[in-house]
Amino acid sequence: MRNIVPFFSVESGGMRGHCLAAAVCFAATLPACSGNDDAVGLPDNAGDAVLTYADIVEATYTDTLTAAEALDEAVTAFVVAPSQKSLTVARDAWLASREPYLQTEVFRFYDGPIDNPIDGPEGMLNAWPLDEAYVDYVDGDADAGIVNDPKQEISATELEKLNEQGGEENIATGYHAVEFLLWGQDHDADGPGDRPFTDFVVGKDGSPSAKRRGEYLQTVSQLLTTHLRQVREQWANEKNTYRRDFEAAAAKESLTKILTGMIVLTGFETGGERLQRSLNSGDQEDEHSCFSDNTHRDMIQDVQGVKNVWRGSYTRLDGKKVNGTSVRAVVQVASPELADELDAQIDASLDAAKALQPPFDREIAPGNKAGRKRLQTLIEALGKQEELLQDVFQVLGFTVTERQRK
């Protein structure tokens, strides 16, 4: 099975934003699940792994919502009383909020509550890259953006409408809009953006658009909690939720979704869109969290999210663990050799991600041979990880189509 070529090659490119099309494309290659759990290669513990996964998803989204609510409180405190101290607190809260959220990205790419085509809010949560001039002033244009257009209403409804209106880089909401408003453009090769807190000071000595800027920041921060609560509620262990149907479905059907999220996040999204693209261009604009210089944490926590699902274990914000039958345990029954190999490869990918040296924009700089080598090592590790996850499809009796082999 080592001869399989990953469908989502790390050389992939072209799509930006939340890359929903990637999930649709991948899903089209998967087998139609008949609901027969007696398929060759599917161990009896697969159903238990599905239940563990649902527990981990709910816990991770609950922690993410808790962290987003803390961010919203810090943002409100900053806007009410702007100062360097309150700005620092808000920035720290943003960084903290990213830690659990990034671990949820492995729950994407199969039309679940986060990115279903009807009302999935992922595009309003984490879409990127963001055209700064769509939101606020930039160097060379002091009047740019929604913030500086007094004719444009600032409300949750309006900003949701404006998100990606007229172009996929016209990002008006989500983590990266909050990030830009807190840090501003990053012009420092050795550090993040440094927006002054005075941008939010209202009055004759403050910025002309300070009031609107504060309203915008508070609105997009509140939207984060609204959208995350929407997703979290669908994974709550209650009646009439996505989770109920996910657990009640045939184990093969739900496990197919689980593996789809792991494969697409590993290869197309992290290895391709976030790493290979930025390595190829060497351009800071292709950096995932470019305003805060937090991109290295994005890479670490994305891989950690895959590891959580693989190992069937998630460490919550309060230090408590959610444990149960893992995807690894399922594969262990079918192919101990493959389970061990993938286990070691996920650890290798995580080590490679942790080896990145911030800031990320310095790592991808054309003249930084050592940094670019570290990125290439991570890309190759993720490519191998993706390949092994594809092997799991075969071992568990799932069909790998000719399209996936090309």
Side-chain angles (χ1 to χ4, degrees), residues 353-392:
K354 290 178 178 178
L356 298 179
Q357 297 183 12
F360 187 86
D361 45 353
R362 189 169 57 194
E363 287 285 86
I364 63 176
N368 187 354
K369 293 183 179 181
R372 292 175 66 80
K373 183 177 180 180
R374 285 188 286 269
L375 259 72
Q376 188 61 47
T377 297
L378 175 55
I379 290 169
E380 290 173 0
L382 290 171
K384 182 64 174 178
Q385 179 176 309
E386 180 193 31
E387 181 181 344
L388 293 171
L389 285 166
Q390 291 277 14
D391 288 351
V392 170

Side-chain angles (χ1 to χ4, degrees), residues 337-348:
E337 178 184 357
L338 177 58
D340 290 345
E341 190 174 358
L342 184 51
D343 203 46
Q345 188 57 49
I346 291 174
D347 282 343

Side-chain angles (χ1 to χ4, degrees), residues 145-160:
I146 299 166
V147 167
N148 296 292
D149 181 2
K151 297 179 181 180
Q152 178 61 60
E153 176 188 347
I154 295 178
S155 67
T157 300
E158 281 301 305
L159 293 183
E160 286 180 326

Side-chain angles (χ1 to χ4, degrees), residues 281-297:
S281 71
D283 187 349
Q284 179 183 330
E285 292 300 312
D286 288 322
E287 181 186 355
H288 193 222
S289 295
C290 62
F291 312 117
S292 62
D293 273 344
N294 194 53
T295 304
H296 63 293
R297 292 301 303 173

Side-chain angles (χ1 to χ4, degrees), residues 86-100:
S86 60
L87 175 57
T88 298
V89 171
R91 287 172 173 173
D92 287 346
W94 186 90
L95 294 170
S97 74
R98 293 291 286 172
E99 295 292 293

Side-chain angles (χ1 to χ4, degrees), residues 20-41:
L20 179 59
V24 174
C25 185
F26 181 73
T29 70
L30 296 177
C33 296
S34 65
N36 178 13
D37 286 353
D38 294 326
V40 175

Side-chain angles (χ1 to χ4, degrees), residues 155-216:
S155 67
T157 300
E158 281 301 305
L159 293 183
E160 286 180 326
K161 290 180 182 178
L162 289 169
N163 194 58
E164 296 187 324
Q165 186 179 101
E168 59 188 5
E169 294 188 12
N170 290 344
I171 308 303
T173 68
Y175 282 100
H176 297 298
V178 175
E179 179 193 13
F180 172 56
L181 287 166
L182 289 176
W183 273 274
Q185 289 179 289
D186 179 12
H187 299 297
D188 186 350
D190 298 317
D194 191 23
R195 181 191 290 274
F197 74 86
T198 52
D199 275 2
F200 294 85
V201 174
V202 178
K204 64 179 182 179
D205 297 326
S207 168
S209 297
K211 186 174 185 296
R212 287 177 57 84
R213 187 171 293 114
E215 290 172 350
Y216 194 118

Side-chain angles (χ1 to χ4, degrees), residues 90-372:
R91 287 172 173 173
D92 287 346
W94 186 90
L95 294 170
S97 74
R98 293 291 286 172
E99 295 292 293
Y101 176 77
L102 290 160
Q103 293 179 64
T104 72
E105 294 209 275
V106 71
F107 312 142
R108 293 174 51 193
F109 306 111
Y110 54 79
D111 288 352
I114 184 65
D115 55 9
N116 75 75
I118 299 175
D119 64 353
E122 198 281 330
M124 288 185 286
L125 278 167
N126 198 46
W128 72 285
L130 179 151
D131 179 0
E132 300 98 317
Y134 188 64
V135 174
D136 199 0
Y137 76 86
V138 294
D139 282 0
D141 191 348
D143 298 321
I146 299 166
V147 167
N148 296 292
D149 181 2
K151 297 179 181 180
Q152 178 61 60
E153 176 188 347
I154 295 178
S155 67
T157 300
E158 281 301 305
L159 293 183
E160 286 180 326
K161 290 180 182 178
L162 289 169
N163 194 58
E164 296 187 324
Q165 186 179 101
E168 59 188 5
E169 294 188 12
N170 290 344
I171 308 303
T173 68
Y175 282 100
H176 297 298
V178 175
E179 179 193 13
F180 172 56
L181 287 166
L182 289 176
W183 273 274
Q185 289 179 289
D186 179 12
H187 299 297
D188 186 350
D190 298 317
D194 191 23
R195 181 191 290 274
F197 74 86
T198 52
D199 275 2
F200 294 85
V201 174
V202 178
K204 64 179 182 179
D205 297 326
S207 168
S209 297
K211 186 174 185 296
R212 287 177 57 84
R213 187 171 293 114
E215 290 172 350
Y216 194 118
L217 177 58
Q218 286 184 289
T219 302
V220 291
S221 176
Q222 290 163 5
L223 275 172
L224 282 179
T225 64
T226 298
H227 293 142
L228 288 169
R229 189 174 293 108
Q230 169 189 331
V231 177
R232 187 266 171 198
E233 287 174 353
Q234 284 299 309
W235 283 103
N237 194 12
E238 300 168 359
K239 296 180 180 180
N240 301 319
T241 64
Y242 180 87
R243 176 174 178 166
R244 180 200 63 179
D245 296 336
F246 187 84
E247 292 180 341
K252 181 177 182 180
E253 180 180 340
S254 294
L255 195 59
T256 294
K257 293 178 179 178
I258 292 170
L259 286 166
T260 297
M262 297 172 75
I263 291 170
V264 180
L265 179 66
T266 292
F268 181 91
E269 183 70 11
T270 305
E273 288 292 288
R274 300 186 184 179
L275 287 169
Q276 190 68 56
R277 176 186 291 278
S278 59
L279 183 63
N280 288 346
S281 71
D283 187 349
Q284 179 183 330
E285 292 300 312
D286 288 322
E287 181 186 355
H288 193 222
S289 295
C290 62
F291 312 117
S292 62
D293 273 344
N294 194 53
T295 304
H296 63 293
R297 292 301 303 173
D298 295 349
M299 303 307 141
I300 292 169
Q301 294 299 71
D302 275 345
V303 180
Q304 182 64 53
V306 174
K307 183 175 180 177
N308 295 345
V309 174
W310 173 247
R311 297 275 179 88
S313 180
Y314 168 65
T315 301
R316 302 201 58 177
L317 293 178
D318 61 6
K320 295 179 181 178
K321 289 185 178 293
V322 178
N323 293 307
T325 302
S326 63
V327 175
R328 187 196 191 286
V330 176
V331 180
Q332 180 72 30
V333 174
S335 174
E337 178 184 357
L338 177 58
D340 290 345
E341 190 174 358
L342 184 51
D343 203 46
Q345 188 57 49
I346 291 174
D347 282 343
S349 295
L350 189 56
D351 288 343
K354 290 178 178 178
L356 298 179
Q357 297 183 12
F360 187 86
D361 45 353
R362 189 169 57 194
E363 287 285 86
I364 63 176
N368 187 354
K369 293 183 179 181
R372 292 175 66 80

